[in-house]
Amino acid sequence: MPVRVHERMSRMSASKTEQRDFAQPIDRVYEICCSEEFLLRSGGTSERPVTIVDSRYERRDDGSVFSEATAEQVMQPPEDAGEDVKPKTLRMTQSSTVFPLENDSFRIESEASLPGNTGRMSITFHYSALRGESGQGEAGGGEAGQSETNQVGEKPLGCHVEAKATAKSRIPVVGRKLEKSVVSSLGSSLDRTIERINDLATQTWGQ
């Protein structure tokens, strides 16, 4: 699986870009990404579970899909912490908009509060069809490639996704560390997103 990473640190924010290719057709990926099960499902892990406490889902007249979810995560203190140190509950609200599928591509724009409401994080996902001749895949899915998707000899090879995360904190010094920590997890977060898409595809279509 091709992996490309670009990371940039600026004075006011931190940003990072990750890209992946995976074997699902673009129309199936779009259907999954528009579903309530995908948009409103907790993104936590077994070690750090996340509980959704409030949610909203809306299909809009312009063809986009909007969702908003508020989640809580209990952070346990370190093992060497004193007995007086209690677990902390972090609350975060994330909103996402899935834009319509056009020319074999679509995008999702998400915004969320940083832990402790110390700033904001935005993530944009660009999904596009992977196509090529005689089974040879080309990552990227730019406009030139998409305009030729109906030509004889082309085969759908799967999906390409590019994700860009930007975090901006209002707290100096400590906020810089938090920003870098948040965007550094983009790769693992994107891998979990693809895993969720594959799992939902298997549940619905058996593959």
Side-chain angles (χ1 to χ4, degrees), residues 123-155:
I123 306 179
T124 300
F125 299 87
H126 287 275
Y127 291 87
S128 56
L130 279 175
R131 292 181 181 268
E133 296 184 2
S134 302
Q136 299 298 314
E138 297 180 1
E143 293 182 2
Q146 292 174 17
S147 66
E148 300 173 355
T149 56
N150 293 324
Q151 288 188 2
V152 176
E154 283 195 338
K155 296 180 60 175

Side-chain angles (χ1 to χ4, degrees), residues 1 7 9 14 19 25 34 69-70 83 91 96 110 119 126 132 134-135 144 150 155 172 176 187 195:
M1 177 184 293
E7 186 169 2
M9 299 293 296
Q19 301 183 53
C34 287
T70 299
E83 295 182 358
R91 173 173 285 221
S96 298
S110 298
H126 287 275
S134 302
N150 293 324
K155 296 180 60 175
R176 298 296 298 132
E195 183 178 356

Side-chain angles (χ1 to χ4, degrees), residues 2-53:
V3 178
R4 289 175 292 277
V5 181
H6 171 70
E7 186 169 2
R8 177 179 61 84
M9 299 293 296
S10 68
R11 182 179 179 184
M12 298 300 294
S13 64
S15 66
K16 186 177 184 180
T17 300
E18 295 265 2
Q19 301 183 53
R20 300 285 192 275
D21 298 337
F22 60 106
Q24 292 291 345
I26 187 68
D27 54 345
R28 182 178 296 175
V29 174
Y30 176 71
E31 183 175 341
I32 290 171
C33 289
C34 287
S35 68
E36 288 186 66
E37 187 170 6
F38 177 81
L39 291 171
L40 300 180
R41 178 181 169 185
S42 165
T45 64
S46 57
E47 295 81 11
R48 301 177 66 179
V50 174
T51 302
I52 294 179
V53 296

